[in-house]
Amino acid sequence: MPLNSGWVERLRSEFSFIRGNVLILFVSWLLISFGMYMPLTYFSLYVLELGGTPFTVGIIGFTYSLSLMSVQFLGGYFADSYGRRRLVVTMTFALAGSYILYALAPTWKMLLMASIVEGLSLVYVPALRAILADSLPPEKRGLGYSISVLVFAPSMVSPFVAAWFVEHTGMLRGMRLIYLVSSTIYFSAAALRIRLRETLRERRYKLSEALKSYPRAFREGFRVWSSVPRQALWLSIIYVASFSFTWLCSPYYVIYATEELGVDETFWALLVSIQNAASYVFSIPLGKLVDVVGRVKPLVASMALLSAAVSLFITGRIMFLPIAFALLGMSSMLFSTSYQSLQTDLVSAEYRGRVIGFTNFFAYMSQAFTQLVGGYVYESFSPKLPFILLASSQIPLMALALATLSKAEKAASY
């Protein structure tokens, strides 16, 4: 009994930080994950069903990313200047509404409009990440960020639910039903986030004031780098570059798998679930690893895993696909955990919103153009070429990370 009691006590102590804001965010992400991955499973095929082409998929991704990019400076400025909570709650409701537009789209052009609304709604991303960073104790950041990935575990089921809808009602009607279900789930998450507590002093603002603040928000996004360690800027550069190459291919995995490799919709759902499951199974041990060995080595290791995964994917051998998608899941989780932990270490609370907003602005700008380029290259040159570029890009990024971030942990501000 004493042994069991001691084990339970250690477990309770290890996870005692999951309360208040952290608990609310984790539960809301649990809901959102289920709602998000259902339509994502077949989104590119939905575009084709509504009269689009692979390049059209790139155009929609381009438009979405530009919309998302355009509000990141403003979101970061508001998060630091006016508080995090109100922005997160209000725009989560707006995000839920955008999914209704996706459900009702008669053509791919309406999907384009829905993507703009969705992208603008995500103005709250810097505030959301900042409120989590504010709420995590320094010694638990790696574990906390890894659990923030683990709470997306319901997404393992989402592709199979999406496959059921598509199989029983067809691609078009099935996707419409999926988006309506997802919208309901998002509204539930938004209602839960009303219970978040502000981590900074909250100030009231008006919409007219928000629009007038944009030039100042843009300037502050650049000015903030004089107040944070230089390694934080290098980390952002590496993140943006990695993000760019990843989105060169992301919308086209499903098209390549179904059209080039002969994968059917049900097997595709299984592959997506394997990718998600790998993230969740290894999330806590790898998150703990990030807390124990530091942030930089795991960051570099994640890039090596990504290169290996994409190389296996483009071999064209069906037997390698489950392995490739398991490695993709592990790579994504490890990169996210180590990157967010290191950024939180390096940037103190009063600057986090602006640093996140700045980084996201350029990440989403590059995401916009690389999706467009990826669609053009896929359709006009070779379906395999975007994936080759992604796999090969990881080698110089690994070298850059080792050269610029090797002393980053020493510069960290706890």
Side-chain angles (χ1 to χ4, degrees):
M1 286 295 294
L3 180 61
N4 291 338
S5 177
W7 181 83
V8 171
E9 189 59 37
R10 286 196 298 272
L11 196 63
R12 183 182 294 118
S13 175
E14 186 74 19
F15 296 99
S16 62
F17 66 95
I18 305 179
R19 61 182 186 274
N21 283 348
V22 176
L23 179 60
I24 292 170
L25 289 174
F26 284 178
V27 174
S28 67
W29 276 326
L30 187 148
L31 293 171
I32 283 173
S33 68
F34 186 79
M36 177 176 64
Y37 279 98
M38 281 196 298
L40 280 180
T41 304
Y42 299 116
F43 177 74
S44 295
L45 300 184
Y46 187 39
V47 176
L48 301 184
E49 191 74 17
L50 290 175
T53 67
F55 185 58
T56 305
V57 175
I59 292 174
I60 294 174
F62 173 80
T63 305
Y64 165 78
S65 300
L66 283 185
S67 303
L68 185 55
M69 173 203 75
S70 68
V71 293
Q72 291 308 298
F73 276 119
L74 193 62
Y77 175 74
F78 265 60
D80 286 345
S81 301
Y82 298 97
R84 330 311 200 175
R85 177 188 169 277
R86 191 187 313 157
L87 191 62
V88 169
V89 173
T90 303
M91 300 316 293
T92 304
F93 277 107
L95 180 64
S98 73
Y99 272 49
I100 297 176
L101 297 178
Y102 280 112
L104 301 177
T107 69
W108 68 264
K109 294 177 182 178
M110 179 59 78
L111 295 180
L112 194 70
M113 298 302 298
S115 72
I116 294 173
V117 176
E118 182 185 4
L120 294 177
S121 300
L122 289 168
V123 64
Y124 74 79
V125 169
L128 186 72
R129 287 190 50 196
I131 203 170
L132 177 62
D134 297 345
S135 304
L136 287 173
E139 70 278 4
K140 299 291 185 180
R141 283 170 182 162
L143 183 61
Y145 284 123
S146 67
I147 294 176
S148 73
V149 175
L150 182 61
V151 296
F152 277 67
S155 65
M156 289 189 294
V157 180
S158 299
F160 293 109
V161 176
W164 185 90
F165 275 106
V166 168
E167 183 179 344
H168 286 80
T169 64
M171 180 62 68
L172 186 59
R173 187 180 179 191
M175 284 297 290
R176 295 193 192 285
L177 291 172
I178 286 168
Y179 270 113
L180 289 175
V181 171
S182 296
S183 178
T184 302
I185 294 171
Y186 270 58
F187 276 118
S188 300
L192 180 61
R193 287 178 175 178
I194 293 174
R195 301 183 62 183
L196 286 169
R197 291 188 177 183
E198 183 57 65
T199 55
L200 291 182
R201 184 175 65 87
E202 190 174 49
R203 292 170 51 198
R204 293 195 171 274
Y205 57 87
K206 298 178 181 178
L207 180 61
S208 58
E209 181 182 355
L211 297 176
K212 291 177 182 178
S213 297
Y214 197 91
R216 182 178 179 185
F218 192 85
R219 291 193 300 270
E220 286 292 322
F222 283 89
R223 192 176 299 158
V224 70
W225 295 102
S226 64
S227 303
V228 300
R230 184 175 57 183
Q231 288 90 345
L233 180 57
W234 279 114
L235 180 64
S236 291
I237 292 171
I238 291 167
Y239 174 79
V240 170
S242 179
F243 200 77
S244 303
F245 282 104
T246 298
W247 278 94
L248 189 71
C249 301
S250 288
Y252 309 107
Y253 280 98
V254 61
I255 300 176
Y256 188 89
T258 55
E259 295 187 354
E260 302 296 326
L261 303 182
V263 172
D264 62 28
E265 286 83 357
T266 303
F267 188 47
W268 173 254
L270 175 62
L271 292 175
V272 175
S273 293
I274 289 173
Q275 178 180 353
N276 295 337
S279 297
Y280 311 136
V281 168
F282 293 101
S283 61
I284 291 181
L286 290 179
K288 192 66 178 176
L289 179 71
V290 169
D291 283 335
V292 173
V293 305
R295 327 301 198 191
V296 178
K297 292 178 181 177
L299 186 73
V300 172
S302 72
M303 300 176 193
L305 287 175
L306 176 58
S307 183
V310 175
S311 299
L312 284 175
F313 175 71
I314 60 178
T315 60
R317 298 193 176 187
I318 301 297
M319 69 180 72
F320 289 153
L321 293 183
I323 300 173
F325 277 78
L327 292 177
L328 281 173
M330 292 176 61
S331 168
S332 176
M333 193 288 303
L334 191 56
F335 185 92
S336 175
T337 301
S338 53
Y339 163 73
Q340 291 184 82
S341 297
L342 184 55
Q343 185 183 66
T344 303
D345 293 345
L346 291 168
V347 181
S348 56
E350 66 267 29
Y351 304 120
R352 282 177 188 148
R354 280 165 288 175
V355 167
I356 293 169
F358 176 96
T359 305
N360 286 353
F361 176 88
F362 286 101
Y364 296 138
M365 180 173 66
S366 65
Q367 175 186 346
F369 286 100
T370 52
Q371 283 183 92
L372 200 61
V373 170
Y376 177 75
V377 170
Y378 186 101
E379 194 172 304
S380 302
F381 291 92
S382 166
K384 188 179 290 188
L385 184 55
F387 299 99
I388 294 174
L389 293 173
L390 171 59
S392 58
S393 70
Q394 300 308 297
I395 298 173
L397 286 176
M398 290 166 63
L400 181 62
L402 288 172
T404 59
L405 302 177
S406 58
K407 297 180 181 179
E409 275 111 353
K410 294 180 180 179
S413 174
Y414 292 90

